[in-house]
Amino acid sequence: MSVHQPTHRGSGFHLPSFRGNRAVPAPGEAVSAEAGAFTARAGVLASARVLMGFVFLWAFLDKTFGFGYATASGKGWIDGGSPTEGFLGNVAVGPMESTFHAWAGDAWADWLFMLGLLGVGLALTAGVALRLAALAGTVMMALMWVAEWPPAKHLSDGSASMSTNPFVDYHLIYAVVLIALAAVSAGDALGLGRLWARLPIVRDHRWLR
């Protein structure tokens, strides 16, 4: 007498398989989802780039024309005011305090500072030369960080510095964002990054990218 083994096991108690219940996306749907994710990511990066550009451009415009925000009306650069005298002249802490006082109000410092603000702002807004913008912007942020010197609890006169963090402040965060935007070529979306990259001089010198 032969014994026939059943082809399928009998139905018993099984835990639900969530993996098996998922529908397998069609190839077209997968490509569409991936494209949508890329578009969203590119849009977020482009938005961050433009907003960062406006930070630098607004600082340039306010210091040039004296809109009454950080720079009082009538004390803009075009009115004969110095963009660096107020900030550098009031540095009251850190290892470069005396150096910044010596630089405050000098024509070369004013021009370098303002050209830096304008150049970085325009590059970020347009989405071109982001590596150069990241380098220049990081140097500017590093100098401003040293001028405020967050590690100090007290100023030179002994008063409280009001520092809320001994290392991280917005200058450091801005510098990291600038480097990240350049690293991911954030100017390719909603910017002129792709056109800029096709220029012969940029193709030959990748550091201009």
Side-chain angles (χ1 to χ4, degrees), residues 14 37 56 59 99 119 131-132 136 152 158 160 177 189 193 200:
H14 297 282
F56 283 85
T99 302
R131 294 181 182 180
L132 285 176
V177 171

Side-chain angles (χ1 to χ4, degrees), residues 95-181:
M96 293 185 64
E97 179 180 351
S98 59
T99 302
F100 286 137
H101 289 172
W103 291 353
D106 283 355
W108 68 267
D110 289 342
W111 276 97
L112 278 181
F113 180 56
M114 295 299 281
L115 288 177
L117 290 177
L118 179 61
V120 174
L122 289 177
L124 288 171
T125 304
V128 301
L130 294 186
R131 294 181 182 180
L132 285 176
L135 175 61
T138 298
V139 171
M140 294 176 67
M141 293 300 105
L143 288 172
M144 292 182 182
W145 186 90
V146 173
E148 296 195 1
W149 200 245
K153 295 181 179 180
H154 298 90
L155 303 179
S156 299
D157 60 3
S159 61
S161 67
M162 305 303 291
S163 175
T164 58
N165 190 298
F167 180 65
V168 179
D169 75 342
Y170 69 96
H171 296 112
L172 182 61
I173 294 173
Y174 282 178
V176 172
V177 171
L178 288 173
I179 295 171
L181 291 174

Side-chain angles (χ1 to χ4, degrees), residues 41-62:
R41 181 170 64 251
V44 169
L45 291 172
S47 299
R49 172 178 55 78
V50 173
L51 289 174
M52 279 294 298
F54 184 71
V55 169
F56 283 85
L57 282 180
W58 177 258
F60 170 81
L61 294 173
D62 185 55

Side-chain angles (χ1 to χ4, degrees), residues 1 4-5 18 26 29 37 46 54-55 65 71 84 95 127-128 136 138 143 145 147-148 182 193-194 206:
M1 185 176 71
H4 298 281
Q5 296 292 336
F18 295 102
E29 294 177 354
F54 184 71
V55 169
F65 300 104
T71 305
T84 62
V128 301
T138 298
L143 288 172
W145 186 90
E148 296 195 1
R194 295 185 185 278
R206 298 295 297 172

